[in-house]
Amino acid sequence: MKDSDILMKFLRMPLASSDAVFDEFARLDGAVLRGKAPGRFLYVRGSRADRVLLVAHADTVWTPPVKDGQIASPAQDVYIEEGVIQNRNGGLGADDRAGCAIVWLLRNSGHSILITDGEEYGLQGSSFLMAENPDIADEINRSHQFCVQFDRRNSRDFKCYSVGTDEFRAYIAAETGYQEPDRHSCTDIVELCRDICGVNFSIGYYKEHTDREYLVLDEWQSTLRTCKKWLTRKKLPRFTL
C-alpha cells in the first residue's frame, strides 16, 4: 500500500469520534491505552536506544456548514484533485488525522508512539497522561532524546513553542531545512515535555477547523520523507530543557 493510500485511509475515518484511530494503533504490539475519550492516550514504547517520541492527536474539530437551517451531513467523501485532498461534505480532519498517518508510517522506525485524544479541547489526553500516569510521563522525559509532533498547518515550518532551546531549534533547522515563524500557541508537546525538548512540524493542511479544510499532498509527503530520512539515522542526540 502506498503512503498516500495510508493517508486516505486515516482521512476517511469518521470525524465525530476518535475510536477508529485508536483501534488502528491498538493493534500494535505493546500498545498501552489508558483513559476515556476525550481524556485518553495510547503509548507504544520504541526499541531504539536513541528513540524519540512521535506524537499526533486523533481528535479533530470543524464547523460544519448549515443548509436550510440544518447542519449538513459530516459523511466522508474524500477525494484528490490536482494534488489537493478535500472532503466534498466539509471537515476533512487532516488536523490531525494526517499527523496520525505519518506516525503510522513511522511505526517500524524503532521510535516510541503517542496518540492523544482531546488535543483540540484543551490538551485533555496529554494532560491526563502527565497528571495521572507518572510511569509513562517519567519514561517519556527520561528515556527519549526529544519529542516530534506532526500537527502543524502550512508547509516546511516548525514550532517549538516554550519547549525548545536555541541549540535544539538550530539542530531542527539544520536537519530539516524547515523554519520557525514564531513561538505562539501550543499543542501536546507543551504539556508532555517536562525535561526534554519538542518540535511540531507542518504537514500541509490549511483552513483547519472549517468546512473548507484541505491538504496539499506534496507538502505532507515532504514532511514524511524529511523526517523518515532524519529519524532513521543511527544516532540521534538528546536535547534537554
Side-chain angles (χ1 to χ4, degrees):
M1 186 177 290
K2 297 188 298 185
D3 292 347
S4 58
D5 293 333
I6 295 295
L7 171 62
M8 294 297 282
K9 177 180 178 178
F10 275 90
L11 292 177
R12 285 173 174 142
M13 291 179 178
L15 295 173
S17 170
S18 302
D19 290 349
V21 178
F22 279 93
D23 289 345
E24 190 74 11
F25 280 92
R27 298 192 293 109
L28 298 178
D29 290 343
V32 176
L33 175 61
R34 295 182 186 175
K36 297 181 179 180
R40 61 179 166 174
F41 68 88
L42 183 147
Y43 174 70
V44 183
R45 181 186 297 130
S47 59
R48 289 176 57 139
D50 61 338
R51 58 186 173 270
V52 304
L53 182 68
L54 307 176
V55 186
H57 67 86
D59 60 307
T60 190
V61 62
W62 63 294
T63 302
V66 176
K67 184 177 181 180
D68 299 328
Q70 301 293 320
I71 294 177
S73 171
Q76 296 293 80
D77 187 3
V78 178
Y79 68 98
I80 302 177
E81 186 173 292
E82 297 183 353
V84 175
I85 304 175
Q86 292 178 282
N87 176 17
R88 289 185 176 87
N89 294 318
L92 180 62
D95 175 13
D96 188 31
R97 303 293 173 77
C100 292
I102 289 180
V103 173
W104 179 261
L105 288 164
L106 295 174
R107 69 192 183 281
N108 296 321
S109 63
H111 297 299
S112 299
I113 288 171
L114 180 67
I115 303 298
T116 67
D117 208 352
E119 189 272 352
E120 300 286 7
Y121 299 95
L123 313 182
Q124 292 189 47
S126 54
S127 296
F128 165 68
L129 187 162
M130 297 302 291
E132 301 187 38
N133 298 270
D135 56 334
I136 295 180
D138 290 346
E139 181 174 319
I140 286 172
N141 284 275
R142 183 185 67 252
S143 65
H144 292 83
Q145 310 297 73
F146 48 86
C147 288
V148 177
Q149 186 155 356
F150 301 98
D151 178 29
R152 171 91 189 122
R153 69 178 72 89
N154 302 331
S155 169
R156 299 184 64 81
D157 68 21
F158 71 86
K159 283 196 178 186
C160 293
Y161 313 102
S162 59
V163 293
T165 62
D166 290 344
E167 181 185 14
F168 183 63
R169 288 183 166 91
Y171 168 77
I172 295 298
E175 291 292 340
T176 66
Y178 287 21
Q179 300 296 320
E180 187 174 38
D182 57 62
R183 301 179 185 182
H184 303 154
S185 192
C186 68
T187 189
D188 287 315
I189 55 172
V190 175
E191 184 70 26
L192 297 166
C193 293
R194 183 179 61 205
D195 303 317
I196 57 174
C197 292
V199 62
N200 183 22
F201 283 111
S202 289
I203 54 175
Y205 64 72
Y206 297 85
K207 300 185 183 299
E208 69 279 10
H209 304 171
T210 76
D211 64 326
R212 294 173 290 113
E213 183 181 9
Y214 66 93
L215 182 140
V216 179
L217 180 58
D218 283 349
E219 295 176 1
W220 178 86
Q221 290 175 322
S222 175
T223 293
L224 174 61
R225 287 193 303 268
T226 297
C227 290
K228 185 180 292 186
K229 180 179 178 180
W230 162 46
L231 295 173
T232 54
R233 292 181 180 173
K234 290 186 177 180
K235 184 63 177 176
L236 297 170
R238 178 173 166 86
F239 290 91
T240 58
L241 295 170

